[in-house]
Amino acid sequence: MSSIHVTTQVNGDAVEFLCDTRETLLDVLRDRLDLTGAKEGCGTGDCGACSVTVNGRLVCSCLMLGVEAEGKAIETVEGIAKGEDLHPLQRKFIEHAALQCGICTPGILIAARNLLERNPDPTETEVRYWLAGNLCRCTGYDKIVRAVMDAAEEMREAS
Amino acid sequence: MALDEYKPQKGGEEFETGHDFKYVGTSPDRPDGFDKVTGRARFGADMSAPGMLFAAIVRSPHAHARILRIDTSRAEALKGVKAVVTRADFAGGLSGETWNVLENVMAGDTALYDGHAVAAVAATSALIARDAVKLIEVEYEVLAHVTDVDEAMKDGAPVIRGGAADGSVPEGLHPNVVRYHESGHGDVEAGFAEADLVIEDHFRTEATHQGYIEPHACLASLGSDGRGEVWCCTQGHWNVQKLCAALLGLDTSGLRVTASEIGGGFGGKTTIFIEPVALALSRKAGRPVKLVMSRSEVFRATGPTASASMDIRIGMKKDGTITAADGVFRLQGGAFPGAPMEMTAMCAFACYGLKNVRHVGYDVMTNRPKQAAYRAPGSPMAAFAVESVIDELCEQLGLDRIEVRLKNAAREGTRSSYGPRFQRIGLVETLEAARAHPHYSAPLKPGQGRGVSCGFWFNFGGETSVSLALSEDGSAQLMVGTPDIGGSRASMALMAAEVLGIPYEKVRVTIADTASLGYNEISHGSRVTYASGLATIKAAGDAVQKLCRRAAEKWGISEDAVKWQDGCAVPSGPNAGDFDPLPIAEITASMGATGGPISGHYEATPEGAGVSFATHIVDAEVDPETGKTSVVRYTVVQDAGKAIHPAYVEGQYQGGAAQGIGWALNEEYIYGPDGRLQNAGFLDYRIPVASDLPMIDTVIVEVPNPGHPFGVRGVGETSICPPLAAIANAVSAAAGVRMRHLPMSPPSILAALEKQAHA
């Protein structure tokens, strides 16, 4: 089967790739663009470890085909920090010990940033429901929720 | 893992009480935090190699079937396919547990469960590998199967494998019963005769999966010269090295294994599944091979925990004294021996000082995947059954749940239910802290119930080897051999910093590969902070001794006249001489000219892992219309001995509680009448999500373990022991009906309510 040529944007950079029509966006990010920050935990959209944003919308990259990235703007965990400066969410996750094994962390950071872009002052319940699509098996979510709330507060004060 | 590794531990060396810590007990940022929040941390599936092939596995769709023929010719003819392997490509002549592991990694004559691997293929792309899997033809003769533990013990049940039973099994039992355990002391019948109330009940728990978010993944390279490398996510890479070498007929040292970052394990990554398959494919194809499991493969073919069928009988006096306890524990661990029924039996009554106690365990084979360790293997189900009966006794005798547990609690010197006398333990302290916690006396709303439970785990030591090398600038490189699952590098750095007297940030901790240190036992048994921590303290102490020697030589005084204080060599007293403190960086700056590099080393099999106890309090609310349970408040109280990094100790407490909530309320392996797993995905095997849980409050009790220099007890596993019972007690109180079968899913609660209404 011949590959399809795709032109897209990833973390602000113009990117071109060839892929099979059966490859998911996650396959393309990890295997063709060497962006292994997004993880495959299930491949069926249940765990959120592969979360990215596409034109600002939160999606599971395992549920989208690579060819569908044509003309879109994609953001992954690799694009959250600006140079050597971590995003407040990244700093707060480290500070609050909000990760243990860290496999869910990239997806949760992407999802949490997307939440705070829409709702800078979420309640605990809003954080919990927004992150309900991102499974974490290690932490029980307590410190994750605290880190997101604390980052939101810091970002509100800074703005 | 071998079950005897979980034997209770002897006491170790003396603990220095009143130790003032500078770094230990603080919660600094973890050293791998930056990599993990930026996406640069490399997990199992994140590594690639030039010329790499991609592999996929052919799996049995049948619960039990004889493999009559495997035809790989059509797959091999597909363009891009470079190798196909079957059982014939692995070593012969294995025995015991190594044979069991191979039999599980790749089926021999018979597929023993739905999902059992029968062949594998490597190709130039993952898509071609997947296509090739469909071209491999396997002819099966389907056999009768059994997946339920009680059914598998009955006369006439299909025999999984004749002759698998060991000498412990009494005559007359079904061949699927492969091991038997009986232990206890006193006279239980006499004890029951003294009781004012005896309650006997039957309990069941379903199999649950560890549910780590990272599927098993590896990158393997093996040449026909017998030298190979493996990169994989594992809790123990020396174990991967040893087992893979055996399964492929290699010298152990010919294989170098590097542990990647690990995306959760909880016991499930203590063994091997895909690593030998990737190595066999690599050897055949002459190229590196990457093999990554799908989520459904993880559910179907990697180890869930055992399911259990249990009978518990406890007698109590009106004043709350337990007079006797008796338990029968039947566990199925899939199509292989190894269900942790001894652990279930030995943990069941370990919280209490009992004059009369007896336990019986049965290890039963069924057509399910080979069970693997899951966080305190065997203990949570025992606590569920036992602590439920204690709750019923308290209810019927009108006694306070914590007072009764305090009255019977095991203390220092108590003869444990499983034999040895306890050394210094902290159960009473956790119960007292739970009683004093505002949660225990907070009012409940209508429709809510409160549950309490205690839990116990042995903890473990194990073979450990650690090295520490000092750099010229006085910073330290610490190499440990235990994969970091939950922040252990931070704990190791804190302990090394404490001994060396240098800032935490000056210690870099690396998880060394198998070629860089001696054998290190798996990260299991809550052993890492205890055993690697102890070895880190000793290795740092070894380096300190050498630093002091260099100072002594410089000052021209005896080595005994130098001591180490706040990162400097100083004279040990006024008689030693008058010298200014010599900082570590000054000694290391000139170490090349004063005798060579300075490093510290330690290796041992420490045996002083202190046992640990926890008490949990839960409030649950049950909706009688839907049967849905909400956990509205949760408090964990657990003895850590000494919390090296308190934030990550809290994390272990919260994580164990959350997994226990999943086990109690939702999670279960569901098999259809055809013996196939019906819920092999996160949609249908539902682990707790953020919106299911409340904040989880924690109380760290510190009763120092005499077997560790800083008093550490392992904390990872005990936290999953009390939740099942605590939640069942809360739900039973809220729903007004006793729940004796986990999970307490909405349909099962509704059925229990309906049955009670018609009773």
Side-chain angles (χ1 to χ4, degrees):
Chain A
M1 188 181 292
S2 62
S3 294
I4 306 288
H5 177 259
V6 177
T7 305
T8 186
Q9 184 184 304
V10 180
N11 298 329
D13 297 331
V15 169
E16 290 177 69
F17 59 83
L18 294 171
C19 76
D20 188 285
T21 51
R22 292 175 292 171
E23 282 176 58
T24 65
L25 175 59
L26 178 62
D27 294 334
V28 167
L29 289 170
R30 292 180 53 82
D31 299 336
R32 296 197 180 270
L33 304 179
D34 290 331
L35 291 168
T36 54
K39 308 298 181 192
E40 180 164 320
C42 66
T44 49
D46 298 315
C47 80
C50 66
S51 297
V52 301
T53 59
V54 177
N55 289 351
R57 184 173 163 227
L58 184 64
V59 301
C60 287
S61 60
C62 73
L63 293 184
M64 184 173 151
L65 293 171
V67 294
E68 293 180 285
E70 177 69 36
K72 305 280 198 326
I74 293 154
E75 295 195 49
T76 72
V77 69
E78 287 91 345
I80 295 182
K82 295 294 164 236
E84 61 187 26
D85 296 327
L86 293 181
H87 186 280
L89 277 165
Q90 292 173 309
R91 275 193 288 103
K92 292 297 178 187
F93 265 61
I94 298 174
E95 243 175 76
H96 284 264
L99 54 141
Q100 282 179 34
C101 79
I103 194 87
C104 69
T105 309
I108 291 187
L109 287 170
I110 284 283
R113 187 179 68 163
N114 198 249
L115 167 66
L116 299 187
E117 282 166 4
R118 290 153 192 265
N119 180 358
D121 191 7
T123 63
E124 182 194 328
T125 303
E126 286 170 332
V127 172
R128 287 185 179 277
Y129 275 85
W130 187 266
L131 294 180
N134 291 83
L135 301 181
C136 169
R137 190 60 156 171
C138 295
T139 65
Y141 305 102
D142 182 299
K143 293 179 190 303
I144 292 175
V145 173
R146 290 178 199 278
V148 173
M149 306 279 287
D150 193 14
E153 190 181 339
E154 186 186 296
M155 288 164 70
R156 285 196 306 276
E157 283 166 6
S159 65
Chain B
M1 99 196 54
L3 289 155
D4 58 5
E5 287 165 5
Y6 274 102
K7 275 182 186 155
Q9 305 293 312
K10 290 199 290 280
E13 50 208 279
E14 282 302 299
F15 169 70
E16 289 175 48
T17 48
H19 200 301
D20 278 335
F21 294 108
K22 187 169 179 186
Y23 302 106
V24 162
T26 64
S27 294
D29 292 352
R30 61 192 288 159
D32 53 325
F34 188 90
D35 283 354
K36 286 185 173 169
V37 299
T38 54
R40 67 176 73 172
R42 284 177 302 179
F43 289 84
D46 296 340
M47 190 63 118
S48 297
M52 179 176 86
L53 302 173
F54 298 81
I57 292 179
V58 181
R59 297 187 179 278
S60 168
H62 304 294
H64 198 193
R66 194 161 291 128
I67 299 167
L68 302 177
R69 186 180 61 91
I70 302 176
D71 183 351
T72 61
S73 57
R74 287 179 64 211
E76 282 164 329
L78 183 68
K79 203 172 176 191
V81 170
K82 298 297 177 187
V84 178
V85 295
T86 61
R87 179 65 173 269
D89 294 281
F90 295 88
L94 303 178
S95 61
E97 182 59 13
T98 313
W99 182 86
N100 283 330
V101 171
L102 173 58
E103 182 76 2
N104 188 44
V105 160
M106 190 62 71
D109 300 336
T110 308
L112 295 165
Y113 54 90
D114 167 40
H116 198 169
V118 297
V121 55
T124 51
S125 80
L127 291 170
I128 295 172
R130 260 188 270 164
D131 288 343
V133 159
K134 294 175 200 151
L135 296 175
I136 290 176
E137 293 168 23
V138 186
E139 194 182 331
Y140 296 100
E141 177 196 345
V142 176
L143 305 171
H145 69 271
V146 61
T147 55
D148 179 81
V149 60
D150 291 324
E151 293 299 321
M153 293 176 76
K154 285 183 184 163
D155 287 346
V159 176
I160 312 298
R161 185 165 63 246
D166 72 11
S168 66
V169 182
E171 275 185 39
L173 291 174
H174 192 284
N176 289 339
V177 180
V178 289
R179 294 182 313 122
Y180 175 83
H181 168 93
E182 191 174 335
S183 61
H185 58 250
D187 179 342
V188 289
E189 293 310 327
F192 287 126
E194 287 174 36
D196 292 312
L197 179 62
V198 177
I199 290 184
E200 181 172 8
D201 272 319
H202 179 66
F203 296 86
R204 284 177 65 90
T205 61
E206 295 304 323
T208 54
H209 196 274
Q210 297 83 354
Y212 33 83
I213 307 299
E214 180 198 33
H216 299 262
C218 68
L219 172 63
S221 179
L222 177 60
S224 52
D225 62 352
R227 309 244 158 194
E229 302 218 15
V230 179
W231 162 278
C232 62
C233 51
T234 176
Q235 290 177 243
H237 37 312
W238 274 268
N239 188 51
V240 173
Q241 180 196 34
K242 184 172 69 178
L243 287 173
C244 285
L247 268 52
L248 289 144
L250 309 170
D251 287 342
T252 302
S253 298
L255 205 54
R256 183 167 76 124
V257 184
T258 305
S260 69
E261 292 294 340
I262 176 171
F266 316 109
K269 290 175 183 166
T270 56
T271 184
I272 57 169
F273 300 101
I274 54 172
E275 298 83 357
V277 178
L279 282 165
L281 286 164
S282 174
R283 180 165 62 184
K284 212 162 181 179
R287 289 165 67 168
V289 171
K290 185 170 183 167
L291 182 41
V292 181
M293 274 192 177
S294 68
R295 177 54 54 185
S296 70
E297 287 182 292
V298 171
F299 276 115
R300 287 170 71 206
T302 70
T305 186
S307 61
S309 158
M310 303 170 282
D311 295 309
I312 304 295
R313 189 177 171 209
I314 299 176
M316 192 177 275
K317 288 188 176 175
K318 282 178 184 161
D319 69 354
T321 305
I322 299 173
T323 59
D326 191 5
V328 179
F329 307 92
R330 305 166 204 92
L331 272 70
Q332 69 73 30
F336 300 87
M341 52 84 179
E342 306 93 327
M343 303 297 125
T344 310
M346 291 161 79
C347 293
F349 302 109
C351 291
Y352 304 110
L354 301 173
K355 279 187 188 152
N356 307 297
V357 59
R358 188 181 76 111
H359 356 70
V360 171
Y362 298 89
D363 176 3
V364 184
M365 299 211 303
T366 64
N367 292 111
R368 295 192 187 209
K370 188 178 194 295
Q371 69 85 35
Y374 179 23
R375 210 168 192 160
S379 182
M381 44 280 242
F384 162 59
V386 169
E387 297 282 311
S388 291
V389 173
I390 290 177
D391 198 67
E392 286 181 83
L393 287 161
C394 292
E395 190 182 339
Q396 293 197 24
L397 293 171
L399 299 169
D400 179 84
R401 276 129 175 111
I402 289 188
E403 297 302 337
V404 163
R405 286 175 170 88
L406 271 170
K407 191 176 190 70
N408 295 285
R411 293 166 160 80
E412 184 172 3
T414 297
R415 182 181 179 188
S416 67
S417 58
Y418 57 87
R421 289 197 186 278
F422 285 121
Q423 294 200 315
R424 186 77 181 91
I425 54 172
L427 175 59
V428 166
E429 287 81 352
T430 71
L431 281 161
E432 286 171 346
R435 184 176 57 187
H437 195 283
H439 184 171
Y440 191 59
S441 51
L444 287 165
K445 290 181 185 158
Q448 295 182 346
R450 178 163 297 147
V452 170
S453 174
C454 296
F456 162 84
W457 185 243
F458 302 103
N459 294 332
F460 182 59
E463 288 161 84
T464 309
S465 172
V466 163
S467 279
L468 180 141
L470 295 174
S471 301
E472 282 193 355
D473 62 0
S475 61
Q477 308 172 74
L478 177 67
M479 292 199 297
V480 299
T482 38
D484 176 354
I485 316 194
S488 62
R489 273 166 291 194
S491 302
M492 298 305 137
L494 282 166
M495 286 184 268
E498 191 73 48
V499 176
L500 294 170
I502 61 175
Y504 163 79
E505 295 76 15
K506 298 280 185 196
V507 183
R508 174 162 185 156
V509 187
T510 300
I511 310 301
D513 63 56
T514 56
S516 306
L517 283 177
Y519 189 87
N520 273 275
E521 177 80 56
I522 304 162
S523 292
H524 68 162
S526 298
R527 76 177 211 90
V528 174
T529 311
Y530 165 70
S532 279
L534 180 147
T536 293
I537 292 165
K538 299 281 190 182
D542 185 28
V544 161
Q545 199 174 2
K546 291 168 185 169
L547 288 161
C548 288
R549 193 177 305 149
R550 299 288 168 98
E553 284 164 2
K554 179 175 177 163
W555 291 333
I557 62 175
S558 153
E559 194 183 325
D560 302 339
V562 179
K563 65 174 184 178
W564 195 254
Q565 196 176 299
D566 296 330
C568 298
V570 294
S572 60
N575 296 336
D578 186 16
F579 303 102
D580 288 338
L582 191 56
I584 185 169
E586 277 187 39
I587 302 172
T588 53
S590 61
M591 63 187 173
T594 59
I598 299 174
S599 55
H601 192 72
Y602 188 77
E603 49 212 351
T605 303
E607 294 193 332
V611 302
S612 99
F613 296 87
T615 302
H616 290 198
I617 314 169
V618 190
D619 295 350
E621 195 170 294
V622 177
D623 180 344
E625 297 294 315
T626 63
K628 182 181 184 294
T629 297
S630 304
V631 175
V632 293
R633 187 168 181 183
Y634 203 110
T635 303
V636 177
V637 186
Q638 185 177 322
D639 176 18
K642 174 67 194 173
I644 301 296
H645 188 296
Y648 282 107
V649 171
E650 290 170 9
Q652 290 296 320
Y653 290 6
Q654 292 165 336
Q659 289 184 334
I661 290 169
W663 196 341
L665 296 179
N666 283 313
E667 297 177 33
E668 63 178 313
Y669 264 47
I670 301 169
Y671 281 91
D674 58 1
R676 292 180 189 174
L677 182 61
Q678 296 189 328
N679 58 336
F682 277 138
L683 188 63
D684 299 315
Y685 183 97
R686 194 173 179 285
I687 71 172
V689 304
S691 53
D692 291 336
L693 300 181
M695 290 297 187
I696 297 168
D697 202 0
T698 56
V699 178
I700 300 175
V701 169
E702 293 185 320
V703 176
N705 168 24
H708 184 277
F710 294 166
V712 167
R713 295 176 199 271
V715 296
E717 291 171 294
T718 304
S719 55
I720 203 175
C721 301
L724 279 54
I727 297 160
N729 290 339
V731 167
S732 299
V737 57
R738 177 57 58 176
M739 299 300 295
R740 299 188 182 92
H741 185 171
L742 299 185
M744 299 174 286
S745 58
S748 72
I749 288 179
L750 285 181
L753 286 170
E754 196 165 324
K755 191 174 165 196
Q756 180 171 261
H758 290 96

